Amino acid sequence: MHARFSPSASKRHLTCTPSLLLEEQFPDSISEFAEEGTAGHALAEHLIKKYMKIRSKRPTSDYYTDELVDAVEDYVSFVMEKLKGVENCYPMYIANVEQRVDVTSYVADCFGTADMVIATPDKLQIIDLKLGKGVHVYAENNTQLMIYALGVFDEVEPIFDIANVELTIH
């Protein structure tokens, strides 16, 4: 199920608001790039859960080429380094892989999935895996991650006094 105003399409929707209505006349379709990305995200989720000692079944896919697996392993190594740094410095933190983020209190029917969320008493980190095929994604002023940060901040703010937000596209 996709949100009507999904954070992943927010750049288009904020730049061209009528596109929300125009898109409704077309059926949902999934590109081969999106299928490959979904497979890569499933593998990344499994590997991160394995590191976090959370039970997970290893996914399989015809999309698992050496190139895709290498890209996913690079992302997972990056996330593990972030987690190790947090584990060594903070007795209490939140780490969620593939966290559903609800932003409907700001925009009706707006939700998505943040690939990796790490929150400590003073910092919120959101890390997004992009596998580099299909649509080019810009890291600077990335509205998808800004929207995720808004939703996650609302969830962790009662627990932590967040002073910094770090958004990373990997």
Side-chain angles (χ1 to χ4, degrees):
M1 180 176 157
H2 292 290
R4 181 167 184 252
F5 184 97
S6 73
S8 60
S10 61
K11 183 175 190 274
R12 179 176 60 248
H13 294 153
L14 291 168
T15 303
C16 179
T17 308
S19 67
L20 272 167
L21 293 174
L22 293 171
E23 290 169 356
E24 289 178 354
Q25 62 186 316
F26 300 104
D28 282 341
S29 63
I30 300 173
S31 72
E32 193 166 318
F33 299 126
E35 296 267 348
E36 183 180 26
T38 299
H41 278 79
L43 181 58
E45 177 182 11
H46 166 72
L47 294 172
I48 293 168
K49 282 183 173 180
K50 187 176 173 183
Y51 170 81
M52 295 171 67
K53 298 183 179 17
I54 298 170
R55 186 175 280 243
S56 173
K57 183 179 178 194
R58 184 178 182 92
T60 59
S61 172
D62 292 337
Y63 289 101
Y64 291 156
T65 62
D66 289 344
E67 179 185 18
L68 179 66
V69 171
D70 287 347
V72 168
E73 288 176 344
D74 187 49
Y75 164 76
V76 170
S77 293
F78 178 81
V79 169
M80 285 189 220
E81 285 303 312
K82 292 284 189 178
L83 286 171
K84 285 177 190 171
V86 166
E87 292 165 349
N88 291 334
C89 295
Y90 297 95
M92 185 176 159
Y93 63 91
I94 296 169
N96 292 322
V97 60
E98 294 297 319
Q99 178 177 328
R100 181 180 163 95
V101 180
D102 184 342
V103 198
T104 55
S105 61
Y106 297 96
V107 178
D109 195 28
C110 183
F111 60 87
T113 304
D115 298 335
M116 190 69 213
V117 171
I118 304 170
T120 62
D122 61 347
K123 186 177 186 180
L124 171 62
Q125 298 177 66
I126 299 176
I127 307 167
D128 192 49
L129 170 61
K130 298 294 185 198
L131 293 167
K133 293 187 178 176
V135 179
H136 186 80
V137 176
Y138 295 94
E140 223 172 283
N141 297 315
N142 185 284
T143 57
Q144 177 183 6
L145 293 187
M146 289 178 189
I147 290 169
Y148 287 158
L150 185 63
V152 174
F153 183 86
D154 283 350
E155 289 182 31
V156 300
E157 194 268 333
I159 302 165
F160 297 132
D161 187 23
I162 302 294
N164 297 293
V165 176
E166 181 178 296
L167 307 175
T168 304
I169 292 181
H170 190 278

